[in-house]
Amino acid sequence: MPKRTMIEAIREAMDVMMERDDKVVVFGQDVGFFGGVFRCTEGLQRKYGAARCFDTPISESGIVGVAVGMGAYGLRPVVEIQFADYVYPAYDQIVSEAARLRFRSAGDYTAPMVIRMPCGGGIFGAQTHSQSPEAVFTHVAGLQTIIPSNPYDAKGLLISAIENDDPVIFLEPKRLYNGPFNGHYDQPVVPWSKHELSETPEGYYSIPIGKAAIRRQGSAVTVLAYGTMVYVAEAAVAETGIDAEVIDLRSLVPLDIDTITASVAKTGRCVIVHEATRLSGFGTQLAAEVQERCFYHLEAPILRVTGWDTPYPHAHEWDYFPGPERVGRALLQVMEA
């Protein structure tokens, strides 16, 4: 089975779906001739032509607005916002048009579209190239929000997103594009070729949206993570020696609450890890869900390890980034309670 980077897996997903369905179109800033700033769309314009993979002006609201119209007309647009940090000019189009189209038309129209965005830090991108805005989308009824952590999931979930009849926010942790990252920035970079989840089948396959994956079985504490933080959590577990169960959420909306509650009911403890800011981050929702459903199973308070409530600092990248040391301290704290 071929091994792919996250970039290659994402490109393969679009390639497979463009070949299967001529209604699938790909567009955004520099995605055509240039192949995207991270090369996720490289070669698609040469293969399918400029009518199906094309460049747009620097106008996020225009990109998403056109995609909404295309979806209502019957196409399946896959658009790229070059960095998630720049999605905010398109937020009105996403919330007021894409997410509401099925509801406001009583099901007569839908918006089958995918909005791809590189997100997260760990690359010294500073405040305008490092944000993790997933929580602002999970609040909006009518949107689905996905964050894969590896090439196998990225391809299968992106195919499912393209086939979905409603709008999907597809966030891609850019620090994972070329390899898994455990938060130890001072260690050599590990390529995807050395990780089992880089093995992605040829051609078509899909992964159901809304199903989490248990990356490590354990009995002492449940760790809920997604994206880059899955590997940080695994590193913290290995370094502390705590028998933790690590769950990769994969999809935030819909959320696999059954897998989460079954795990917390078993372990009695829960640590939540995400890179986004703490205040109103998605970890807040996760903590509430666990508290409501698992109150009588909990043996310690739920802990969150997150980014800080500040713009992402360039000079203090690794003080902001929730690394394995911070996650490890939370694991030890929750076990002592």
Side-chain angles (χ1 to χ4, degrees):
M1 191 179 298
K3 293 187 174 183
R4 293 183 171 90
T5 66
M6 193 97 121
I7 292 171
E8 293 166 339
I10 290 165
R11 183 192 308 136
E12 173 77 4
M14 289 184 282
D15 190 4
V16 166
M17 293 307 295
M18 292 178 80
E19 188 170 33
R20 285 170 62 96
D21 186 353
D22 60 9
K23 296 185 181 66
V24 177
V25 294
V26 173
F27 57 96
Q29 297 170 28
D30 296 323
V31 305
F33 177 80
F34 191 61
V37 67
F38 293 103
R39 299 300 189 271
C40 288
T41 57
E42 188 173 23
L44 296 181
Q45 187 179 85
R46 290 194 300 272
K47 185 173 182 179
Y48 296 102
R52 293 189 61 202
C53 180
F54 55 90
D55 298 321
T56 66
I58 303 175
S59 173
E60 288 78 13
S61 62
I63 292 168
V64 174
V66 167
V68 174
M70 285 182 166
Y73 187 74
L75 299 176
R76 290 188 176 272
V78 181
V79 303
E80 178 182 304
I81 303 298
Q82 201 166 80
F83 289 89
D85 313 63
Y86 299 130
V87 73
Y88 302 110
Y91 195 64
D92 181 50
Q93 293 284 358
I94 294 170
V95 174
S96 302
E97 306 300 335
R100 306 287 192 247
L101 187 57
R102 180 189 288 274
F103 183 85
R104 71 191 296 185
S105 68
D108 288 342
Y109 295 96
T110 59
M113 55 187 283
V114 180
I115 303 174
R116 293 183 41 251
M117 293 180 278
C119 67
I123 64 164
F124 287 100
Q127 61 181 352
T128 58
H129 296 82
S130 302
Q131 296 176 55
S132 298
E134 61 270 12
V136 302
F137 301 110
T138 61
H139 184 68
V140 180
L143 296 178
Q144 298 185 22
T145 304
I146 296 171
I147 307 182
S149 68
N150 60 78
Y152 178 83
D153 285 356
K155 181 179 175 181
L157 286 168
L158 183 52
I159 286 174
S160 291
I162 295 171
E163 292 181 324
N164 199 288
D165 288 333
D166 289 299
V168 177
I169 305 297
F170 196 88
L171 291 160
E172 303 162 6
K174 65 180 79 73
R175 180 66 208 225
L176 299 182
Y177 270 150
N178 291 303
F181 178 60
N182 63 10
H184 287 297
Y185 60 91
D186 53 351
Q187 295 180 2
V189 174
V190 177
W192 276 118
S193 60
K194 294 185 178 181
H195 198 285
E196 61 182 1
L197 288 174
S198 69
E199 295 184 354
T200 56
E202 293 281 7
Y204 176 93
Y205 71 91
S206 62
I207 294 174
I209 298 173
K211 183 62 179 174
I214 299 176
R215 298 299 177 198
R216 184 190 188 279
Q217 297 279 350
S219 61
V221 55
T222 298
V223 181
L224 304 180
Y226 50 89
T228 307
M229 292 299 109
V230 172
Y231 303 99
V232 173
E234 289 179 336
V237 169
E239 291 163 20
T240 58
I242 294 172
D243 185 25
E245 185 151 286
V246 179
I247 297 178
D248 179 355
L249 298 180
R250 302 201 289 194
S251 168
L252 305 187
V253 177
L255 181 67
D256 187 356
I257 195 65
D258 290 340
T259 295
I260 293 170
T261 54
S263 178
V264 176
K266 176 179 67 174
T267 65
R269 292 175 169 84
C270 183
V271 172
I272 297 165
V273 188
H274 64 65
E275 191 177 341
T277 52
R278 182 179 179 87
L279 183 63
S280 298
F282 192 68
T284 304
Q285 180 66 28
L286 290 172
E289 296 284 356
V290 171
Q291 181 75 2
E292 288 174 6
R293 290 170 169 81
C294 302
F295 178 78
Y296 292 106
H297 296 284
L298 289 170
E299 299 179 22
I302 301 166
L303 296 183
R304 288 177 290 155
V305 184
T306 71
W308 306 116
D309 293 329
T310 177
Y312 213 117
H314 182 271
H316 299 283
E317 177 97 9
W318 304 118
D319 293 321
Y320 181 98
F321 191 92
E325 183 179 350
R326 284 173 57 193
V327 177
R329 288 200 300 268
L331 290 172
L332 293 171
Q333 180 180 341
V334 79
M335 291 305 299
E336 292 171 356

